Amino acid sequence: TIDHLQTLYKKHVCFSQRHIVDILKVYGVDLQVYFGGILIGPHCMNLAEHSEKILKAILAKMKEEVQDERLVKAMEKFTEKMVEIFAVWYELCMQMMSKKYQDDDAIAEWKRRVTKIKRLIVDLIVTDPPLPGEENPLKLPTTLKWFSLLSSIMLKFLEVWRCFGDVDEQNIESNHPQRNAMAARHRGRRGPAKNLAIM
């Protein structure tokens, strides 16, 4: 049964993952097993909408288990930065889901939000990570969807069509050649420098 499988899962998974999965479920966010454990559709929106409560609940649970003061401070710093990132992400999600006509003011707001989330992500991962130097496990996002969001592709789309919400998300797949061309342009770079250039 599913209950038996969940019991087995909880018995064999690490404490942090177990707590994170349980807290996400409270807010209607389920990992999609068939999609490699990622979040899709409405679950992403639920995560963005309730991110501050989710992140603070996860932090509280981690503090019950983690004794290392340095690591606790890193978790607090990570949580603080992620709350800010998710706040902007939620605004972007709402704008992407909207079927309303996006006027010049809305497009200017889109630009402002994208610029802000780029700055916040780079600050979290490169400029001022919770754990510095070699201990920093964080990497810049370079997936196609992040590339499309953070580059000018979606802005150009918005300027032409004045709306995202009526468009099939599969259209983003047509951006693969542009993302691959950008990666090829920076093939001489490695690691975070290359990811930042692509982003």
Side-chain angles (χ1 to χ4, degrees):
T1 67
I2 289 178
D3 289 340
H4 177 64
L5 290 173
Q6 286 178 338
T7 302
L8 285 173
Y9 170 78
K10 286 183 178 181
K11 183 177 177 184
H12 295 287
V13 77
C14 71
F15 78 88
S16 58
Q17 187 176 351
R18 184 172 63 247
H19 290 317
I20 290 167
V21 169
D22 288 346
I23 290 165
L24 287 172
K25 281 188 180 219
V26 169
Y27 292 94
V29 181
D30 291 312
L31 302 179
Q32 303 300 305
V33 175
Y34 294 107
F35 294 92
I38 62 169
L39 304 178
I40 59 172
H43 298 274
C44 290
M45 288 298 291
N46 288 345
L47 175 60
E49 184 178 2
H50 302 292
S51 58
E52 185 168 2
K53 292 176 192 168
I54 290 169
L55 288 164
K56 288 185 175 175
I58 291 170
L59 176 62
K61 273 290 179 193
M62 294 301 101
K63 282 181 165 181
E64 290 175 13
E65 307 273 356
V66 177
Q67 305 299 318
D68 184 336
E69 189 59 35
R70 188 169 152 275
L71 190 53
V72 168
K73 286 188 177 174
M75 291 189 304
E76 289 170 344
K77 185 175 181 179
F78 177 81
T79 299
E80 182 183 319
K81 288 174 179 278
M82 284 304 297
V83 164
E84 201 173 356
I85 287 170
F86 269 119
V88 183
W89 172 241
Y90 183 61
E91 292 171 349
L92 286 166
C93 285
M94 293 301 289
Q95 197 166 359
M96 285 187 278
M97 300 277 290
S98 173
K99 294 181 180 180
K100 293 179 182 173
Y101 176 85
Q102 303 286 306
D103 61 16
D104 289 343
D105 289 342
I107 291 174
E109 192 59 29
W110 172 268
K111 286 183 192 174
R112 184 195 68 76
R113 287 170 178 155
V114 168
T115 301
K116 184 174 182 182
I117 203 168
K118 272 184 183 176
R119 180 181 52 77
L120 291 171
I121 290 170
V122 170
D123 180 64
L124 169 69
I125 298 171
V126 178
T127 313
D128 186 29
L131 289 170
E134 295 296 317
E135 293 181 301
N136 181 11
L138 305 174
K139 298 196 178 351
L140 287 166
T142 56
T143 62
L144 175 66
K145 288 184 180 175
W146 272 107
F147 170 74
S148 300
L149 172 67
L150 300 177
S151 70
S152 60
I153 292 170
M154 289 185 74
L155 173 61
K156 287 176 186 170
F157 185 95
L158 189 57
E159 288 171 338
V160 171
W161 298 103
R162 299 288 170 153
C163 182
F164 287 127
D166 282 331
V167 181
D168 183 346
E169 70 174 273
Q170 291 305 314
N171 287 316
I172 206 168
E173 298 302 322
S174 66
N175 292 328
H176 271 293
Q178 290 168 298
R179 192 262 178 212
N180 293 342
M182 187 66 72
R185 185 186 304 171
H186 297 287
R187 66 180 164 264
R189 298 181 178 193
R190 294 286 177 265
K194 180 176 183 177
N195 294 345
L196 186 58
I198 293 171
M199 203 175 107

